[in-house]
Amino acid sequence: MPQHLIDKLERFTRLSDEDRQVLKALARKVRLIEAGVDIIQEGDRPETVNLFLDGWACRYKQLEDGRRQIVAFFVPGDLCDIHIYVLREMDHAIAAITPVRLATVPREILLDTMDRHPRITRALWWESLVNAAIQREWTVNIGRRTALERLAHLFCELFLRLRAVGLAEGSTCPFPLTQLELADATGLTNVHVNRTLKEMRNAGLILLKSRQLTVPDLAALQKAALFNPNYLHLEREGAHLSANA
Amino acid sequence: MPQHLIDKLERFTRLSDEDRQVLKALARKVRLIEAGVDIIQEGDRPETVNLFLDGWACRYKQLEDGRRQIVAFFVPGDLCDIHIYVLREMDHAIAAITPVRLATVPREILLDTMDRHPRITRALWWESLVNAAIQREWTVNIGRRTALERLAHLFCELFLRLRAVGLAEGSTCPFPLTQLELADATGLTNVHVNRTLKEMRNAGLILLKSRQLTVPDLAALQKAALFNPNYLHLEREGAHLSANA
DNA sequence: CGTTATATTGATTTAACTCAATTAAAGTGG
DNA sequence: CCACTTTAATTGAGTTAAATCAATATAACG
C-alpha cells in the first residue's frame, strides 16, 4: 500500500478515491531488500521504476579511489525518476540503508496510468520537480554552508519530508542514518560530523538517539541552517486541480 | 533556430526531418537578455519553458546572508525543466552570464508537441534525465573533490557539453565565466580559484584566456578530475529509436 | 559473550578561507 | 583614441574550519 506516496501527493493536490485506487494498483509487485545491499548498481540497465514503501535508501556515487558521496536519500513514499528507463545504464547506485520494501512499477503500467489520469500525472511531475529542487538544494548545502548548517539543514529537510508522508510524531521522526552516512551526504568526515552533532546537542538543537531524531524547536533549527522550506513545495501548490474540492 | 538543441538531441537518437521541423517551431518566440540580468527570479511564477539559443546563463541560489551558489550552467541547446509550470513559484533564480537569446515555449505548445511526436518526447526525457544526472554529479564534485579536481571536472563537463552542441572547435571552446562565477559554481572562493587555475596552467592542463578554454590533453584533464563521462549519457543511448536508421 | 560496527575524543596537519593590496583588463564617455 | 571608471585577476600574509591519524569507548548483533 503506497499510503506514504498518497499522503505526499496530497500535499500537492487532493486526490479522488479513484486516484488513490490507481496509485495503490502501482504497488502490485513488491521487493524486499536487506539493509546495506545495493538495490541498483552503476552500469545496471534500469527496467522498472522503484517506489519506496518502507525503509530508507540512498543514491550514491563513488570515485575510483573510494571517496563516496551520497546524493539523495529515499524515504517511504519516494519514487525514482519516472522516466529512468530512457537511459541505457545507471550512472550511480542505489543502496538500502535499512531493510527496504519497495514496489517495482513496470514502465508500461506507469505510462498507462499517466495517460489516463491527468491529476495523478501532474502530481507525479510535481514529485519529480521537487526531487530536482532537493538535489539543487543539496548542491547549495554542500557548497556554501558550514558543517553545522549543513547537518541542521539536512535534519530540517528530512524531518519535513517524513512529516509530509505521515512518519513524524510531534517533533520526533525515525532517523536510521549513521554518522558515516551523514558525512557522506554532507561532504564531511565522520569525525567532524561527530563533533558537530555534539555541538548541536549542546546547543539544544536536536536530540538524536536510538535511531530517532527529535527537533525540540524547529524554528531554531531552521534558523541555524538558514533553511527555507520553499524548495520542498509542500504548500498545496496544485490546489486548483483538487478532486472533491 | 534551435540547432544546438537538435544537435544535442541527436546525441541521443537520430531525428527525422519532420522532428527537426517540429523542434524549430518551438523557437518561435525569442527573447533577448542582457548580460548580468535575472531571467527568472526566486518567487516568480513559471509560465513558459525556456530554451537557450545563444549565450550562457546560470541557475543560482542565494542565502540570506549573501552567500551564493551556482547550481547549474545553461549553454546553447539547454532547456529548463519541461514541466516547471507545475510548480507555483520558483525556488531559485536564473541569470544571464553573457547576453542571452532564448525561446520561450508556451506549455501548451510543448505538451502538444510531446503528444504528437513520441521520438521527440523520448529525447526530451533524455535531456531532462541528463540534467538531473549533471546536478547529482555537481553534488559529488563539491562534496568529495579537491579544488583542482572540482575545476578540472567542471572544465571537462562544459567542454563535452559544448562539443555536443557543436560549439567546440578542436580542443577549444568558448568560456565566458569569471573566476568569481567559477568559485560560486564549485563552492570555493575566487581567490582560491585563482590560485588553483594558476596551478592547472602550470601543469599544462588548461589554457584559459580571452574567454576561451583550450584543453590540450583531454585525457589528462579527465584523469586529474577523476572524470567519468557516463553521467552525460552522450553515447547514442536511444539508437533503437532512430529515424532513418 | 565475543565480535563487529558505530560513536567518541585527542593531537596534529592542511586545504581552503579571509583580509588587504596591487595589477591588469574591459568598458565608457568626451 | 584617450583619460576615467569599473570590473576582474593576481599575489601576499595570516587564520581557520575541517581533515587526518590514532586510540578508546560504546552499542548492536549473531
Side-chain angles (χ1 to χ4, degrees):
Chain A
M1 289 275 277
Q3 189 56 48
H4 298 305
L5 174 64
I6 292 170
D7 286 354
K8 181 164 67 163
L9 297 184
E10 293 218 274
R11 303 300 297 241
F12 172 66
T13 187
R14 283 193 195 80
L15 301 172
S16 68
D17 290 343
E18 191 200 343
D19 291 336
R20 277 185 224 106
Q21 288 309 318
V22 167
L23 287 168
K24 280 176 193 166
L26 291 181
R28 196 151 287 158
K29 246 171 105 180
V30 173
R31 241 180 103 190
L32 296 170
I33 293 118
E34 287 171 58
V37 172
D38 275 354
I39 297 169
I40 306 182
Q41 295 189 310
E42 187 166 338
D44 281 1
R45 156 119 226 175
E47 294 286 355
T48 54
V49 175
N50 291 316
L51 163 56
F52 289 87
L53 301 172
D54 267 305
W56 287 41
C58 67
R59 280 191 214 264
Y60 70 93
K61 298 196 80 162
Q62 197 139 18
L63 303 186
E64 295 155 36
D65 65 359
R67 278 175 280 177
R68 185 173 99 125
Q69 178 69 44
I70 290 174
V71 297
F73 288 116
F74 291 107
V75 299
D78 284 338
L79 205 53
C80 282
D81 323 69
I82 50 187
H83 281 85
I84 189 66
Y85 51 80
V86 170
L87 298 182
R88 182 160 50 200
E89 57 174 61
M90 293 289 287
D91 56 56
H92 64 277
I94 297 180
I97 287 172
T98 66
V100 161
R101 204 163 59 87
L102 57 79
T104 54
V105 187
R107 90 186 79 169
E108 308 79 38
I109 303 231
L110 192 62
L111 291 176
D112 184 62
T113 301
M114 292 177 79
D115 262 0
R116 300 193 206 206
H117 302 277
R119 186 166 41 237
I120 289 179
T121 305
R122 275 249 173 167
L124 294 178
W125 292 141
W126 169 78
E127 211 265 346
S128 103
L129 288 165
V130 170
N131 284 333
I134 290 172
Q135 194 69 59
R136 286 191 294 268
E137 191 62 40
W138 278 45
T139 307
V140 178
N141 203 31
I142 296 172
R144 286 296 183 228
R145 287 194 182 86
T146 65
L148 191 144
E149 290 164 354
R150 281 184 219 181
L151 286 164
H153 195 280
L154 182 61
F155 291 144
C156 287
E157 175 184 305
L158 287 169
F159 180 75
L160 293 184
R161 284 171 59 189
L162 290 164
R163 199 168 68 176
V165 295
L167 285 171
E169 294 188 19
S171 55
T172 298
C173 67
F175 204 87
L177 304 179
T178 66
Q179 293 182 1
L180 185 58
E181 285 157 349
L182 283 171
D184 283 345
T186 52
L188 301 166
T189 59
N190 57 339
V191 174
H192 198 56
V193 165
N194 181 277
R195 293 189 165 118
T196 308
L197 288 178
K198 185 180 174 184
E199 194 187 339
M200 294 177 74
R201 279 192 263 246
N202 289 344
L205 288 171
I206 53 161
L207 274 83
L208 189 55
K209 61 173 172 188
S210 48
R211 330 220 124 208
Q212 290 244 319
L213 169 69
T214 300
V215 181
D217 181 349
L218 184 56
L221 189 64
Q222 291 192 357
K223 194 171 167 213
L226 292 89
F227 183 89
N228 179 339
N230 67 348
Y231 75 100
L232 294 173
H233 298 274
L234 290 171
E235 302 303 326
R236 277 257 157 69
E237 299 196 353
H240 57 291
L241 304 167
S242 290
N244 323 313
Chain B
M1 290 273 277
Q3 188 56 50
H4 299 304
L5 174 63
I6 293 170
D7 286 353
K8 181 165 67 163
L9 297 184
E10 294 220 272
R11 303 300 298 242
F12 172 66
T13 187
R14 283 193 193 81
L15 301 172
S16 67
D17 290 344
E18 192 199 343
D19 291 337
R20 279 185 223 106
Q21 288 308 319
V22 168
L23 287 168
K24 280 176 193 166
L26 292 180
R28 197 152 285 160
K29 248 172 103 179
V30 173
R31 244 180 101 191
L32 296 170
I33 293 120
E34 287 171 57
V37 171
D38 275 354
I39 298 169
I40 306 182
Q41 294 189 310
E42 187 166 338
D44 281 1
R45 156 118 223 175
E47 294 284 355
T48 54
V49 175
N50 290 316
L51 163 56
F52 289 87
L53 301 171
D54 269 305
W56 287 41
C58 67
R59 282 190 213 263
Y60 70 93
K61 299 198 79 162
Q62 198 139 16
L63 303 186
E64 296 155 35
D65 65 359
R67 278 175 280 177
R68 184 173 100 123
Q69 178 69 42
I70 291 175
V71 297
F73 288 116
F74 291 107
V75 299
D78 283 340
L79 206 52
C80 282
D81 323 69
I82 49 187
H83 281 84
I84 190 65
Y85 51 80
V86 170
L87 298 182
R88 182 159 52 201
E89 63 175 49
M90 293 289 288
D91 56 56
H92 63 278
I94 297 180
I97 287 172
T98 66
V100 160
R101 204 163 60 84
L102 57 79
T104 54
V105 187
R107 91 185 79 168
E108 309 79 36
I109 304 231
L110 193 61
L111 291 176
D112 184 61
T113 301
M114 292 177 79
D115 263 0
R116 298 194 208 204
H117 301 278
R119 188 166 39 235
I120 289 180
T121 305
R122 275 248 173 169
L124 294 177
W125 292 141
W126 169 79
E127 212 265 346
S128 103
L129 289 165
V130 170
N131 284 333
I134 290 172
Q135 195 68 57
R136 286 191 294 266
E137 190 63 39
W138 279 44
T139 308
V140 178
N141 203 31
I142 296 172
R144 287 294 183 228
R145 285 193 184 86
T146 65
L148 191 144
E149 289 164 355
R150 281 184 219 183
L151 287 164
H153 195 279
L154 182 60
F155 291 144
C156 286
E157 176 183 304
L158 287 169
F159 180 75
L160 292 185
R161 284 171 58 189
L162 291 164
R163 198 168 69 175
V165 295
L167 285 171
E169 294 188 17
S171 55
T172 297
C173 66
F175 204 87
L177 304 178
T178 66
Q179 293 182 1
L180 185 58
E181 286 157 347
L182 283 172
D184 282 345
T186 51
L188 301 166
T189 59
N190 58 339
V191 174
H192 198 57
V193 165
N194 182 278
R195 293 190 165 119
T196 308
L197 288 178
K198 185 179 174 183
E199 194 187 338
M200 293 175 75
R201 279 192 262 248
N202 289 343
L205 289 171
I206 54 160
L207 274 84
L208 190 54
K209 61 174 172 189
S210 49
R211 328 217 126 211
Q212 291 244 317
L213 170 69
T214 300
V215 180
D217 181 348
L218 184 57
L221 188 64
Q222 292 192 356
K223 195 171 167 212
L226 290 90
F227 182 89
N228 180 339
N230 66 348
Y231 74 100
L232 295 173
H233 297 274
L234 289 171
E235 302 302 329
R236 279 256 157 68
E237 299 197 351
H240 56 292
L241 304 166
S242 290
N244 324 312

